[in-house]
Amino acid sequence: MIVNTHQAEAWNGYEGVHWATHHDRYNAVNDAFNPFLLDAVRPGDRVLDIGCGTGRTTRLAAARALSAEGVDLSEPMLAAARELAKDLVNVAFTHGDAQVHPFPGSSFDLAVSRFGIMFFGDPVAAFANIGRALTPGGRLTFLSLRGYGDLARVVAALGFPEAPPGTGPLALGEAETVERVLTAAGFTGVVTRPVDAPQNWGADAADAASFLAAWGPVRHNAGDGAAERMLPALRTFETAGGVLLNGEALLVSAVRP
Ligand SMILES: C[S@@+](CC[C@H](N)C(=O)[O-])C[C@H]1O[C@@H](n2cnc3c(N)ncnc32)[C@H](O)[C@@H]1O
């Protein structure tokens, strides 16, 4: 069953297809955050990766754990995830809405997510459902978006309104909100820490501008000429290693009693 229907439409439509097609580029954007999540994985863990997308963190977690299963509501992203993991025996993927999916009870030791948990219509219900999937003493570790970081300076040239703090993709970006939601969902020992990492949006400013112009939020909100308008700001972030924008996340951990 899917209850987050608006999200399902987006991630099964243009957004999901773009992520599936360009999984390597989205991983270049987000990979520098991986160590924060992977540090939580222990040998012997059965890991659940929530909103796993094309499965990068599912595969990396599986390499350190007993097994890893990704859940996502995007069919195109799961198709890419399955193809990329086809040679791995301890990786599986499930199509479902993590808010309501009937996970077998107490079947995971650790739930992780790299930016796949910010979009729930009812976050308390979603994390309560995820908690039921964890064994008693099971752990939750995730990264949520804390702010737009340097990207805010780039998209400022486009003139469309950013979601204010605490809303949209920033819904779980504030420590107080996360503590309230996870406590109401039955978790204990909630710890939050702001973490930053460089996000590589392209080889040079022109490459990053054309990729960003095709990224769903820009494509849907900016008018013509978005790539050209972002170029001047992107040039200021060019390095020999690519266009590196500082990204801002909240690293969260909690325990299912
Ligand atoms: C920003 S992407 C991150 C994908 C992946 N974790 C990564 O780091 O590449 C957000 C993901 O969350 C998934 N998602 C959003 N709402 C979801 C829900 N209710 N249940 C399962 N997955 C969901 C989307 O389909 C998408 O794959």
Side-chain angles (χ1 to χ4, degrees):
M1 192 185 34
I2 305 288
V3 296
N4 287 284
T5 48
H6 181 67
Q7 287 298 322
E9 275 167 31
W11 294 106
N12 282 291
Y14 177 86
E15 190 77 22
V17 171
H18 196 256
W19 275 71
T21 309
H22 301 287
H23 55 86
D24 51 345
R25 297 206 56 159
Y26 284 106
N27 285 326
V29 172
N30 288 321
D31 269 353
F33 281 107
N34 293 347
F36 296 116
L37 278 190
L38 297 174
D39 279 354
V41 181
R42 301 177 188 156
D45 276 346
R46 296 160 297 167
V47 180
L48 174 64
D49 187 1
I50 305 149
C52 63
T54 57
R56 171 72 152 173
T57 49
T58 324
R59 298 190 298 279
L60 292 171
R64 296 176 171 218
L66 182 64
S67 60
E69 179 170 337
V71 61
D72 203 287
L73 43 64
S74 169
E75 295 278 20
M77 291 169 83
L78 285 175
R82 290 192 175 103
E83 176 61 24
L84 290 162
K86 64 180 189 300
D87 297 328
L88 303 178
V89 293
N90 63 342
V91 174
F93 294 100
T94 298
H95 178 241
D97 183 336
Q99 185 173 315
V100 291
H101 184 73
F103 299 109
S106 303
S107 52
F108 296 97
D109 307 292
L110 172 68
V112 298
S113 184
R114 187 180 77 175
F115 306 122
I117 36 62
M118 299 106 68
F119 307 100
F120 298 128
D122 186 340
V124 173
F127 284 105
N129 192 45
I130 292 160
R132 282 188 289 275
L134 289 168
T135 51
R139 295 112 59 215
L140 171 69
T141 298
F142 67 75
L143 288 156
S144 63
L145 206 60
R146 188 179 93 243
Y148 294 105
D150 288 334
L151 192 58
R153 285 173 54 195
V154 173
V155 299
L158 303 177
F160 61 81
E162 276 178 28
T167 69
L170 304 181
L172 293 180
E174 293 173 344
E176 300 73 28
T177 309
V178 169
E179 279 159 19
R180 181 175 46 73
V181 166
L182 291 183
T183 303
F187 283 89
T188 58
V190 181
V191 176
T192 62
R193 177 161 68 101
V195 292
D196 288 13
Q199 301 189 293
N200 190 336
W201 283 94
D204 56 28
D207 181 46
S210 96
F211 181 58
L212 273 165
W215 177 48
V218 172
R219 183 174 178 267
H220 296 311
N221 292 296
D224 291 341
E228 292 70 25
R229 283 185 281 153
M230 289 185 284
L231 263 178
L234 285 168
R235 284 201 188 98
T236 68
F237 294 103
E238 277 183 326
T239 74
V243 177
L244 302 182
L245 306 189
N246 186 59
E248 300 176 344
L250 194 67
L251 177 65
V252 178
S253 61
V255 176
R256 184 255 213 229

